[in-house]
């Protein structure tokens, strides 16, 4: 190994790009701050996870941390469970809503009457009536 060629090979190796780890991915994912996802895009990502795609693979491809993907999946499953628990509305529900509205109207009328009584009394109770003889 002569001096000049040996030095050039050391400098060339030092300046070369470092080798990528085997699990570093294919480099298609963009590095940088995560993008904002719309609800539709989040749902599409969650559907990929529910179909069985690897959490790590989806994370690399979408540039979203694994913990965030897990959170989206869990929230989607809870929402789906809640949607399946709902029952269909029937005539009783309409009657209940009508009666609740009626109770609200009566309560409001009572409150207005009590306010009017307080205003007429001027902060003091009504004078007691004298009985006629």
């Amino acid at each position: 190994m002569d001096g000049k060629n040996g030095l050039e090979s050391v400098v060339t190796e030092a300046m070369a790009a470092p080798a990528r780890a085997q699990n570093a991915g294919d480099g298609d994912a963009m590095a940088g701050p995560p993008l904002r996802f719309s609800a539709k895009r989040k749902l599409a990502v969650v559907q990929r996870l529910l179909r069985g795609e690897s959490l790590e693979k989806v994370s690399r491809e979408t540039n979203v941390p694994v913990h965030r993907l897990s959170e989206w999946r869990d929230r989607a499953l809870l929402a789906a469970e809640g949607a399946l628990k709902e029952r269909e509305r029937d005539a009783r529900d309409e009657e209940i809503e009508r009666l609740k509205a009626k109770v609200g109207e009566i309560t409001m009328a009572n409150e207005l009457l009590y306010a009017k009584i307080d205003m007429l009394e001027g902060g003091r109770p009504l004078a007691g009536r004298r009985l006629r003889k």
Side-chain angles (χ1 to χ4, degrees), residues 1-11 13:
M1 168 171 9
D2 65 324
K4 188 175 181 183
N5 285 341
L7 182 61
E8 285 179 5
S9 66
V10 171
V11 170
E13 288 176 14

Side-chain angles (χ1 to χ4, degrees), residues 95-111:
E95 181 69 8
I96 290 170
E97 291 299 319
R98 187 186 70 77
L99 291 173
K100 283 182 179 179
K102 188 68 174 175
V103 167
E105 290 173 11
I106 292 170
T107 302
M108 181 65 77
N110 282 342
E111 289 176 2

Side-chain angles (χ1 to χ4, degrees), residues 11-99:
V11 170
T12 305
E13 288 176 14
M15 293 177 62
R20 292 174 56 92
Q22 289 181 353
N23 61 355
D26 56 4
D28 288 341
M30 293 175 42
L35 301 173
R36 290 179 55 101
F37 279 70
S38 66
K40 286 184 180 182
R41 287 183 66 194
K42 288 178 184 178
L43 182 59
V45 170
V46 168
Q47 286 174 340
R48 288 177 60 185
L49 294 173
L50 294 177
R51 287 186 191 117
E53 285 191 49
S54 165
L55 194 60
E56 289 79 17
K57 177 184 173 192
V58 175
S59 174
R60 280 193 310 268
E61 290 178 1
T62 58
N63 196 27
V64 176
V66 172
H67 71 89
R68 178 92 18 101
L69 292 177
S70 297
E71 179 183 312
W72 291 352
R73 181 187 57 209
D74 295 344
R75 287 177 25 201
L77 290 174
L78 283 174
E81 182 181 340
L84 294 174
K85 285 183 179 180
E86 291 181 2
R87 65 180 179 85
E88 293 186 25
R89 293 179 57 86
D90 58 3
R92 291 184 324 166
D93 293 330
E94 293 173 8
E95 181 69 8
I96 290 170
E97 291 299 319
R98 187 186 70 77
L99 291 173

